[in-house]
Amino acid sequence: MQGSLRHADSLVIVGAPTQDGASRASRTLQWLATHEDEHGRFPYRQLAQDAVVVLSCDRSSPYVDESVIREHFRARCRAVVELPADPHLSTGGIVDLDALSPAARDAALNLAATVAEGFQGRRTTGLAAHGFRAEMPR
């Protein structure tokens, strides 16, 4: 994972507005922010701060205050996007935007725009910056 993180320009961390889903996403952000390398540096702190957290609302709990979870992540990363429950997404297969409900499609497009906004005015360091570019089909 650390090899992949070294070449990442942006991270999308998926959680849920539940205790376990939010806890896993929070621990991921915490590890990224506090992981120290062998040189005493924190190489993933900026990735954590620039991350986008997606709250997948396919599960919920009446015992959890979702606004507390949203605020928790807003204080720790660049953006939080909520993805509403959707029957097409619940299959866990390849996502077809045309098969999503209008609300889920809008949220997915908002997520893509939010991630892309993070690249504006920033020098990227990911694989494309190292000469790895996908070949365009002819």
Side-chain angles (χ1 to χ4, degrees):
M1 179 57 75
Q2 291 183 40
S4 297
L5 288 172
R6 275 194 298 274
H7 295 291
D9 290 317
S10 184
L11 294 178
V12 175
I13 298 170
V14 179
T18 60
Q19 288 180 346
D20 63 335
S23 176
R24 282 191 299 270
S26 185
R27 284 193 313 267
T28 298
L29 275 174
Q30 181 70 19
W31 184 89
L32 289 164
T34 61
H35 176 74
E36 189 173 348
D37 68 12
E38 63 275 4
H39 305 291
R41 294 179 296 219
F42 299 92
Y44 312 124
R45 182 172 284 165
Q46 192 63 46
L47 275 175
Q49 292 170 350
D50 289 341
V52 176
V53 169
V54 176
L55 293 177
S56 178
C57 297
D58 58 336
R59 295 185 311 135
S60 62
S61 170
Y63 305 107
V64 174
D65 184 345
E66 293 179 13
S67 67
V68 171
I69 291 174
R70 281 191 297 275
E71 291 309 312
H72 169 82
F73 287 114
R74 283 190 180 119
R76 288 162 176 76
C77 65
R78 182 168 59 84
V80 177
V81 175
E82 292 186 45
L83 188 60
D86 184 272
H88 175 62
L89 293 176
S90 68
T91 66
I94 295 173
V95 176
D96 176 1
L97 288 176
D98 292 330
L100 295 174
S101 68
R105 184 174 32 255
D106 288 348
L109 293 173
N110 181 42
L111 171 60
T114 301
V115 170
E117 284 172 354
F119 298 136
Q120 186 173 359
R122 210 173 69 181
R123 184 175 178 271
T124 59
T125 60
L127 292 178
H130 296 285
F132 296 95
R133 301 194 191 289
E135 298 263 339
M136 296 298 294
R138 296 183 189 253

